[in-house]
Amino acid sequence: MQMEILAQYFPLFQEAAVLTVKLGLAGIALALLIGVICAAVQHFQVPVLRRIAAIYVEVSRNTPLLVQLFFIYYGLPKIGIPTNPYLCGVVGLAFLGGSYMAEAFRSGLEAVPVIQTESAESLGMNRAQTMRYIIFPQALSVSVPALIANIIFLLKETSVFSAVSIMDLMFTAKDLIGMHYNTTESLFLLVIFYLMILLPVSIAGSILERRLRYAGFGA
Amino acid sequence: MSEILLEVSNLTKRFGENTILDGISFTIRKGEVVVLVGPSGCGKSTLLRCLNGIEDIQGGQILLDGEAVLAGSKELTQMRQKIGMVFQSYELFPHMNVLRNITIAPEKVQKRKRAEVEIEAKALLARVGLADKADSFPRELSGGQKQRVAIVRALILHPEVILFDEVTAALDPEMVREVLDVILDLAKQGKTMLIVTHEMAFARAIADRVIFLDDGHILEDSDPETFFEHPETKRAEQFLGTFRFEKR
């Protein structure tokens, strides 16, 4: 492994990492939003919408991200919706992540016993207050481990972005290997950069999990 | 006699085909302590849940101060502030400390100032012997302590009547005492209460009136002396017999 090649490639990977993180965060933020909406719709059994949410969750979870990206990238222009690689990446990630986030939020909501709602309502709280102050905070603390796992999973999934010509980390590595044949250096940097992105998320996640853990319900 | 506070007439509650409460009628006057007893599954807890609007009813009506308590109605959240409820399983909020558990409803529901509510909350905590637990979390408390916090949480809304649903059923004997002492103290202060309990000695000591419920019907509604010494019905006699032990 040659140091000067590592030094030469480093800025290229840096640039790609920034792009990867930006697209990843945008996709994850959207996924969280979709997840909250789908979970709420299913938990409160909103007619019609809950069916749509259920179908979406199944479609999204049972197709690979690569297929979803191709579908958006090549499919949408065919029906007249223009798309670009970045938008395609973010939308694809949100489409995939939304269902995983929905399931995480839903399991959290289901873990809070019904009598907690009754208890809050017996104090005169209305529906919205009960959700905001009593149910949602407890549900979130149950969901956090799953949400963190999903965030890490989605950040890793960004590696298929290269297939729709987004110059992310994976694309950069493949590109450099193709051009100069410096396989070792490129792959080494690829691993290092993924670790630099994901390890902090992982560590922050474990700290958050520990801080949000409440011992048991019905207390 | 003081004025009538709670008036239940011909209340009927069904779960599908099962009739749980079949034409229940009774009244509670201001300042009265009424104890509701009866075998398991007779509908005691369901009755309390109906009175608090947690369960909807299929017939009859519940009037508090002349206003109807109706599950699903717009006025229900207003009415519920007048009806305190203490659950068997405490149901404190595990993500909040003791003080917040008590202050959240007066602050958010009654729009009272947090500082003012906290002063009252601390005074009430001191009154039930938990002055030093304001910053603790529910998981750090014993069952008896949790139940006393739950009572304070109901009290701080200044309800006109407090419903107790087997509040000592999940507690160790020594903790039962500390919770019952708190309720006795409330009775001395003239609070209106409807208490479901299996503690017969306590029921006899605290009750102004005892209602005996069996299979969805009120079989007896009398003063404690009469109920415990000379029950009118065979069923009540039988029920009271299960609490008596004699060496054969």
Side-chain angles (χ1 to χ4, degrees):
Chain A
M1 195 153 56
Q2 292 173 280
M3 285 320 270
E4 61 266 35
I5 293 179
L6 285 181
Q8 193 191 333
Y9 283 2
F10 195 87
L12 296 172
F13 274 94
Q14 209 175 5
E15 211 175 304
V18 170
L19 182 66
T20 300
V21 169
K22 271 187 191 163
L23 296 181
L25 288 184
I28 287 163
L30 271 177
L32 285 168
L33 187 67
I34 296 172
V36 169
I37 294 168
C38 285
V41 157
Q42 289 187 298
H43 184 73
F44 296 110
Q45 312 210 328
V46 183
V48 186
L49 287 181
R50 63 183 266 238
R51 299 242 175 270
I52 296 173
I55 292 168
Y56 156 69
V57 167
E58 290 313 318
V59 171
S60 153
R61 286 203 305 177
N62 294 308
T63 48
L65 179 59
L66 187 60
V67 175
Q68 295 171 3
L69 285 180
F70 279 166
F71 198 83
I72 298 164
Y73 193 68
Y74 296 109
L76 289 188
K78 289 226 164 97
I79 54 169
I81 301 170
T83 171
N84 70 56
Y86 299 132
L87 187 68
C88 170
V90 171
V91 170
L93 201 62
F95 184 84
L96 175 74
S99 61
Y100 283 85
M101 297 301 187
E103 292 299 281
F105 282 123
R106 202 160 65 100
S107 65
L109 284 172
E110 274 165 19
V112 184
V114 179
I115 195 165
Q116 280 277 311
T117 303
E118 294 171 355
S119 168
E121 288 181 351
S122 81
L123 296 170
M125 289 194 198
N126 60 31
R127 256 273 138 95
Q129 289 168 331
T130 302
M131 271 319 282
R132 180 169 161 203
Y133 301 116
I134 309 303
I135 306 305
F136 199 69
Q138 293 185 53
L140 194 63
S141 89
V142 176
S143 303
V144 159
L147 293 176
I148 304 278
N150 288 347
I151 289 171
I152 293 170
F153 157 73
L154 290 173
L155 282 173
K156 287 194 287 194
E157 282 293 296
T158 58
S159 59
V160 306
F161 279 1
S162 59
V164 289
S165 73
I166 294 173
M167 291 166 73
D168 73 330
L169 285 170
M170 195 68 198
F171 187 97
T172 306
K174 281 199 283 193
D175 203 32
L176 289 171
I177 293 169
M179 280 195 297
H180 310 297
Y181 232 70
N182 291 321
T183 319
T184 317
E185 289 80 1
S186 301
L187 291 180
F188 177 72
L189 283 170
L190 183 63
V191 171
I192 292 298
F193 268 90
Y194 270 119
L195 282 177
M196 284 202 297
I197 294 171
L198 287 159
L199 272 181
V201 177
S202 217
I203 292 164
S206 337
I207 294 170
L208 191 66
E209 267 174 50
R210 231 172 299 135
R211 291 199 47 183
L212 280 174
R213 201 174 294 147
Y214 313 117
F217 287 106
Chain B
M1 281 264 227
S2 57
E3 58 187 295
I4 288 174
L5 184 66
L6 185 74
E7 185 173 8
V8 177
S9 45
N10 212 14
L11 190 158
T12 302
K13 170 72 193 174
R14 278 186 292 267
F15 285 117
E17 295 289 288
N18 290 334
T19 302
I20 309 297
L21 299 170
D22 193 2
I24 299 284
S25 301
F26 66 96
T27 56
I28 298 180
R29 291 174 183 280
K30 218 174 173 115
E32 228 180 353
V33 178
V34 177
V35 171
L36 189 60
V37 297
S40 293
C42 71
K44 301 180 301 271
S45 290
T46 307
L47 177 56
L48 289 201
R49 290 166 63 86
C50 290
L51 296 182
N52 198 23
I54 296 174
E55 301 285 352
D56 55 351
I57 56 178
Q58 277 68 51
Q61 66 174 359
I62 303 160
L63 295 178
L64 181 77
D65 268 343
E67 285 180 76
V69 178
L70 211 60
S73 73
K74 266 200 184 128
E75 296 75 27
L76 186 63
T77 55
Q78 283 293 322
M79 296 299 290
R80 274 172 162 160
Q81 296 168 40
K82 299 184 190 171
I83 309 169
M85 175 103 175
V86 184
F87 296 85
Q88 177 179 337
S89 50
Y90 336 118
E91 299 309 325
L92 297 180
F93 307 128
H95 57 301
M96 297 175 176
N97 69 16
V98 165
L99 191 64
R100 196 65 187 133
N101 259 281
I102 298 166
T103 57
I104 181 102
E107 187 191 328
K108 302 298 178 190
V109 176
Q110 299 182 324
K111 312 288 178 205
R112 286 156 66 187
K113 289 219 167 58
R114 187 161 176 175
E116 172 243 326
V117 176
E118 283 185 354
I119 292 167
E120 188 183 349
K122 282 176 182 160
L124 285 170
L125 277 175
R127 176 132 204 173
V128 301
L130 295 173
D132 55 335
K133 298 293 182 191
D135 298 322
S136 303
F137 277 83
R139 62 170 178 272
E140 296 159 350
L141 305 182
S142 71
Q145 291 171 332
K146 280 188 241 191
Q147 198 56 291
R148 282 182 280 161
V149 172
I151 292 171
V152 168
R153 188 175 66 171
L155 277 178
I156 201 163
L157 294 167
H158 306 274
E160 295 185 21
V161 54
I162 311 173
L163 314 174
F164 292 88
D165 187 8
E166 296 194 37
V167 294
T168 58
L171 299 177
D172 294 339
E174 281 178 19
M175 295 176 184
V176 169
R177 183 75 213 204
E178 63 192 40
V179 171
L180 295 185
D181 281 342
V182 168
I183 302 175
L184 276 168
D185 185 44
L186 294 177
K188 272 188 216 139
Q189 292 172 44
K191 294 269 192 295
T192 313
M193 298 189 275
L194 177 58
I195 302 169
V196 170
T197 185
H198 285 297
E199 306 282 338
M200 289 303 142
F202 170 71
R204 191 167 180 171
I206 199 171
D208 294 318
R209 250 171 62 219
V210 179
I211 293 177
F212 177 64
L213 196 66
D214 183 50
D215 200 21
H217 299 269
I218 291 182
L219 295 190
E220 312 232 356
D221 184 345
S222 52
D223 62 279
E225 182 69 23
T226 312
F227 177 73
F228 287 106
E229 294 304 327
H230 320 284
E232 287 166 25
T233 60
K234 196 103 190 113
R235 188 70 189 90
E237 209 171 306
Q238 209 178 21
F239 171 74
L240 287 170
T242 58
F243 294 93
R244 262 181 230 123
F245 297 94
E246 276 155 36
K247 204 169 173 190
R248 267 175 262 229

